Structures are given as C-alpha cells and as structure tokens.
Amino acid sequence: MFNELMTSAVSIFKREQALVMLGLLGFVIAGCAAVYMFFQGAVVLPEGNIKNVFSFAAALGIFLLSIAAILPFAGFTIRMRKVVRRLFIAAASYSYVIETLQNFRGFNPRFSKAGGPVDILAGALFGVVSLSFVISGILLAVQFLKMKAPLSRPVLIIGIRYALLSVFIANLAGLIMMSLQGRFTGAGGNYIVLHGIGLHSLQTLLLPAWLLEHSNLLPGKQRQLLHTGCIAWLIGIMFIAVQTSLGCSMFEISLFPILTVLCLLVWLLTVISAYIKHISATAKSRLPRQPASTRYL
C-alpha cells in the first residue's frame, strides 16, 4: 500500500509541480510557526495569534495537495486547466503571505480592529481572494458532475464528486464567516468546524474511493459501499450546518451532534471495510501462482 501511495505521489508531482510545491510550502510555514510558538508563545499583541498561522498553513497545504491530485482527472482543456491552476496558485500565495505576515505583526489578517487603513484594506482583499477558492471549487465541481460515462476511473470520480459537494458547503460556511466578520454565531455556534470538516472531505472521501478501486470487490459493490460512506458523510455535514446555524456548539450532547456522530461512524465503517478489502486484494496478488499441472490436484 505504501509503495502504491508513493507511486501515486510521484505521478501527481510530475503533473502538478506548482500546486504540489505550494502545498508543501504550507507545511514549511506551519513548521516554522510551531518552532516560534515553542520559544515565544502563540500570542502576538495586539491581535496576532501564531496558532492561526500553524493551522491555516497546514490546512491550506493539505488542500492544495488534494487539488493537485484530482485536477488531472477533471478532463479540462489545457487552457482551462491552466486557468483553474493559476486561480488556486494566486489565491493560495496571497493567503499564505497575509495570514503569516499579519499575525506575526500582531494584527488580525481578516477583520483587524487595531490596524491602520492598509491592514483593513489587506483584510478586505483577503476576503476577495477567498472568493477565488470558491469560484475554482465550483468550476471543478461542475466539471466533475457533468462528466459522462464511460469514465476512466469511475469509483475515484464518484468520491471526487461527493468531496467537491462537501467543499462547496465548506465554502458557504466561509462566506458566512466573512459576512459575520468572525466564526462564531449564537451562544456556541462555530462555523469554522463546518468549514474545516467540509474541506477535509478531499481526504476523507477520496481515501475510501482509492482503496475500493484497488480492492477485489466487484464494481457494483465498490460503488455501493462508496455511496453509503459518502452519503453518510454529507448528511453528517448537514447536521453540523443545522446545529451551527442554531447557534449551538457541536461539542454538546444534543440531537444533531449525536446524529452527526452516528453518520461519521457509518462513514468510518465503510473506510475500514474498504481498507480490509484492499489489503485482501493485495495479499492475494502476492501469492505464488500454482503451476497449471498441479492446480487441480
């Protein structure tokens, strides 16, 4: 399994070097932020918080690597693929700079109340740049949803479609945070939970898809198991959205958090099943073949 993942990683790097390098840059920035926090602490007065640099850079890095992995399967023309790639690169580059620089300067990179006109303008531009992620995500989602059979890798494409739908919901949460000029709503609602979990669908839904397409299950069974897990994940995200919109925390014991946990458990069971089937297929492929003369003795 590790060798297969490494082969896929090399293939992705060759096809989308710019996105991969930019994604890895996020881990470098996160690592530097972690070292700084170890020696100096996280708070930079009056508004800066290096924890935000760490979490943002790491999350954006993972996101860009995931986009690099799925972009070659979108079936874009060469020109359109360049447009989408450049949108992601431009938006990510500005986001890295403004999130890191402003927090280390002690200002909120989005909604600064202590900064001057330039800081406020930079934050407003950050909001505009965030729309580039939304637009690029929509372009990708539309492209994958309109693809027609026969598909080269149908199981993987199904996982990508569900993941991009989840990313769209996450982006809606991001737009709501922009309108609220913050992540909190009501007594305990926090849209960053919905935003983060939605974006990580690019990993949580693509992993079982990749495992299943390399398993020994029949194609119909592969799709059935993947649909089950992806739909459970999407319903769980919708429960998070409802709970947050009500202004309540996802970390309290009430109806929607409990339903969310049940949905995520269903998703987890499908991932475990996909992994078991993948391991089973790998083990069988490594068994030595019997000579034809002795196979039926």
Side-chain angles (χ1 to χ4, degrees):
M1 181 176 175
F2 177 76
N3 290 336
E4 291 174 351
L5 286 172
M6 289 302 298
T7 302
S8 298
V10 172
S11 176
I12 292 166
F13 177 75
K14 289 180 178 179
R15 290 177 294 187
E16 292 295 341
Q17 293 185 24
L19 283 174
V20 170
M21 295 303 293
L22 202 57
L24 294 176
L25 176 61
F27 295 107
V28 174
I29 295 172
C32 292
V35 172
Y36 181 91
M37 285 190 291
F38 180 79
F39 290 103
Q40 300 292 333
V43 177
V44 181
L45 296 176
E47 300 174 313
N49 192 331
I50 309 305
K51 285 183 180 178
N52 293 337
V53 177
F54 174 83
S55 59
F56 180 86
L60 183 53
I62 294 171
F63 176 78
L64 290 173
L65 291 177
S66 301
I67 293 297
I70 69 172
L71 189 56
F73 300 105
F76 282 126
T77 62
I78 295 176
R79 181 179 179 182
M80 192 61 192
R81 184 169 165 180
K82 285 182 178 179
V83 170
V84 173
R85 181 191 299 122
R86 288 170 180 172
L87 277 173
F88 278 118
I89 290 173
S93 299
Y94 182 81
S95 299
Y96 278 142
V97 170
I98 198 68
E99 182 75 30
T100 305
L101 181 63
Q102 289 296 83
N103 273 297
F104 272 97
R105 290 181 64 233
F107 298 112
N108 187 319
R110 295 169 183 80
F111 315 112
S112 179
K113 296 180 180 179
V118 174
D119 300 300
I120 295 172
L121 180 62
L125 183 57
F126 200 0
V128 175
V129 168
S130 298
L131 292 176
S132 299
F133 287 112
V134 177
I135 293 169
S136 302
I138 291 173
L139 289 174
L140 270 177
V142 170
Q143 180 67 16
F144 275 103
L145 288 171
K146 73 178 185 180
M147 293 172 68
K148 297 180 180 179
L151 302 173
S152 58
R153 299 177 68 174
V155 176
L156 184 64
I157 298 301
I158 290 172
I160 292 173
R161 286 170 171 171
Y162 278 109
L164 289 174
L165 286 174
S166 299
V167 168
F168 177 73
I169 297 171
N171 285 332
L172 289 180
L175 294 177
I176 291 173
M177 287 189 288
M178 288 172 56
S179 66
L180 294 174
Q181 295 194 353
R183 62 181 65 177
F184 300 105
T185 180
N190 189 346
Y191 277 105
I192 200 66
V193 177
L194 176 61
H195 184 67
I197 290 179
L199 289 179
H200 283 299
S201 301
L202 285 168
Q203 296 85 52
T204 59
L205 300 187
L206 295 191
L207 175 61
W210 183 85
L211 290 171
L212 284 169
E213 74 170 3
H214 290 84
S215 72
N216 55 3
L217 283 176
L218 294 174
K221 292 291 185 180
Q222 291 178 359
R223 291 192 292 270
Q224 183 180 11
L225 188 60
L226 183 60
H227 279 302
T228 301
C230 291
I231 290 172
W233 181 272
L234 269 177
I235 293 174
I237 286 179
M238 295 307 298
F239 285 142
I240 295 173
V242 172
Q243 179 76 355
T244 305
S245 299
L246 293 173
C248 301
S249 171
M250 278 304 302
F251 304 102
E252 64 180 34
I253 300 177
S254 58
L255 176 62
F256 291 115
I258 291 173
L259 291 175
T260 300
V261 170
L262 292 176
C263 289
L264 296 182
L265 282 175
V266 172
W267 163 80
L268 181 60
L269 287 174
T270 62
V271 175
I272 293 172
S273 299
Y275 178 73
I276 292 172
K277 296 298 181 182
H278 173 79
I279 294 298
S280 175
T282 303
K284 287 183 179 179
S285 68
R286 292 177 179 174
L287 290 175
R289 291 182 175 272
Q290 270 187 311
S293 57
T294 61
R295 192 173 299 168
Y296 299 106
L297 294 180

